[in-house]
């Protein structure tokens, strides 16, 4: 079933989609994010370096931290090859502390929300829901764990802004779907391009990706500041037990 976004849950949808897009490199490097290496990548044409970094995002496991300001911070781990990972968002919304857990196991997505006072299955902090592939505006049932990175294919005006940083713009009319926006939402936007900044280490790996999803309709603006590290970290996430998954 779909899970309707509640109390700022759009941040979870976007953060999960972006985080699960993957970030990786060619070699296992343990806890090193690679950010201190500024070698030959900066000699590449910037758009080519960005494309190369995007292509490497699917090759190795990583840890991620996604800072969303007042909407909370998400921490997680992901193996894009196995399509397995786990992300936890803890945030305060309307005076209530909410914890959202998401597990991805063999490409299947499970979610559990702990919302004080709620006895709704899947939101009681005890039971999980398995998300199906259907979705729509305000839901998190349809994002592809590896799809968001394709938004970088719509990057234009890409420039080096230092030895390890590129900047540019993303055309939402081409990449809105990958960023969790429906076509109708994109049409409502006045400006359909947004700036982004990306960090690329000396091994060509993406170590940082920052952009702002603009406000549209009743959904607020969401700034995503994502960092990636610990490439090659072991990822051993199990699906919830069948007895913990609700189906109605």
């Amino acid at each position: 079933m779909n899970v309707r976004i509640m109390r700022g849950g759009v941040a979870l949808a976007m953060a999960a989609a972006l985080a699960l897009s993957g970030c990786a490199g060619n070699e296992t490097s343990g806890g090193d994010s690679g950010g201190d290496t500024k070698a030959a990548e900066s000699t590449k044409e910037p758009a080519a370096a960005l494309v190369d970094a995007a292509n490497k995002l699917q090759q190795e496991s990583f840890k991620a931290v996604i800072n969303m300001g007042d909407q909370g911070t998400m921490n997680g781990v992901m193996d894009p090859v196995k399509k397995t990972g786990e992300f936890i968002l803890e945030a305060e919304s309307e005076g209530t502390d909410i914890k959202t857990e998401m597990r991805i196991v063999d490409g299947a997505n499970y979610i559990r929300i702990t919302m004080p006072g709620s006895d709704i299955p899947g939101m009681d902090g005890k039971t999980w829901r398995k998300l199906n592939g259907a979705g729509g505006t305000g839901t998190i049932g349809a994002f592809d764990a590896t799809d968001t990175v394709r938004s970088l294919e719509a990057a234009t005006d890409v420039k080096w802004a230092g030895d390890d940083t590129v900047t540019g713009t993303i055309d939402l009319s081409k990449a809105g779907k990958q960023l969790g926006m429906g076509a109708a939402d994109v049409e409502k936007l006045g400006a359909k391009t947004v700036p982004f900044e990306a960090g690329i280490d000396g091994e060509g790996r993406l170590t940082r990706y920052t952009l702002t999803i603009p406000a549209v309709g009743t959904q607020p603006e969401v700034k995503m500041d994502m960092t990636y590290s610990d490439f090659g970290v072991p990822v051993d996430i199990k699906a919830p037990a069948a007895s913990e998954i609700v189906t109605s």
Side-chain angles (χ1 to χ4, degrees), residues 116-162:
S118 174
D119 59 0
I120 300 172
M123 295 185 179
D124 55 9
K126 300 176 182 178
T127 52
W128 295 79
R129 287 195 179 277
K130 183 176 182 179
L131 306 183
N132 68 14
T137 302
T139 67
I140 55 177
F143 74 84
D144 182 328
T146 62
D147 200 35
T148 303
V149 67
R150 297 188 180 100
S151 66
L152 293 173
E153 296 174 3
T156 58
D157 301 321
V158 182
K159 300 178 178 66
W160 285 111

Side-chain angles (χ1 to χ4, degrees), residues 156-216:
T156 58
D157 301 321
V158 182
K159 300 178 178 66
W160 285 111
D163 290 336
D164 58 359
T165 303
V166 295
T167 60
T169 59
I170 298 291
D171 186 344
L172 295 178
S173 67
K174 297 178 180 178
K177 181 179 179 180
Q178 285 77 24
L179 293 171
M181 301 185 70
D185 289 335
V186 174
E187 285 301 315
K188 294 176 184 177
L189 295 174
K192 292 183 171 54
T193 59
V194 294
F196 77 92
E197 182 174 292
I200 303 175
D201 72 8
E203 296 180 41
R205 302 180 299 200
L206 189 70
T207 58
R208 189 179 73 259
Y209 185 21
T210 301
L211 79 166
T212 298
I213 307 301
V216 58

Side-chain angles (χ1 to χ4, degrees), residues 20-25 53-61 79-83 145-147 149-150:
L20 298 177
S21 64
C23 176
N55 289 336
K56 291 179 179 180
L57 299 182
Q58 311 306 316
Q59 300 172 7
E60 194 174 27
S61 60
D79 186 330
V81 177
K82 295 180 181 178
K83 295 186 181 299
T146 62
D147 200 35
V149 67
R150 297 188 180 100

Side-chain angles (χ1 to χ4, degrees), residues 6 29 50 57 68 109 118 178 224 238:
M6 300 178 65
S29 57
L50 184 63
L57 299 182
M68 296 173 289
N109 301 321
S118 174
Q178 285 77 24
M224 314 300 299
K238 306 298 184 185

Side-chain angles (χ1 to χ4, degrees), residues 20-90:
L20 298 177
S21 64
C23 176
N26 288 328
E27 302 177 13
T28 299
S29 57
D32 180 14
S33 70
D36 292 335
T37 305
K38 299 182 180 180
E41 289 305 307
S42 62
T43 66
K44 287 186 178 180
E45 193 274 328
L50 184 63
V51 170
D52 288 347
N55 289 336
K56 291 179 179 180
L57 299 182
Q58 311 306 316
Q59 300 172 7
E60 194 174 27
S61 60
F62 62 92
K63 289 183 179 180
V65 178
I66 305 96
N67 188 321
M68 296 173 289
D70 292 341
Q71 299 199 55
T73 298
M74 177 178 284
N75 290 272
V77 61
M78 185 69 192
D79 186 330
V81 177
K82 295 180 181 178
K83 295 186 181 299
T84 297
E86 182 176 49
F87 287 84
I88 298 174
L89 170 66
E90 295 185 273

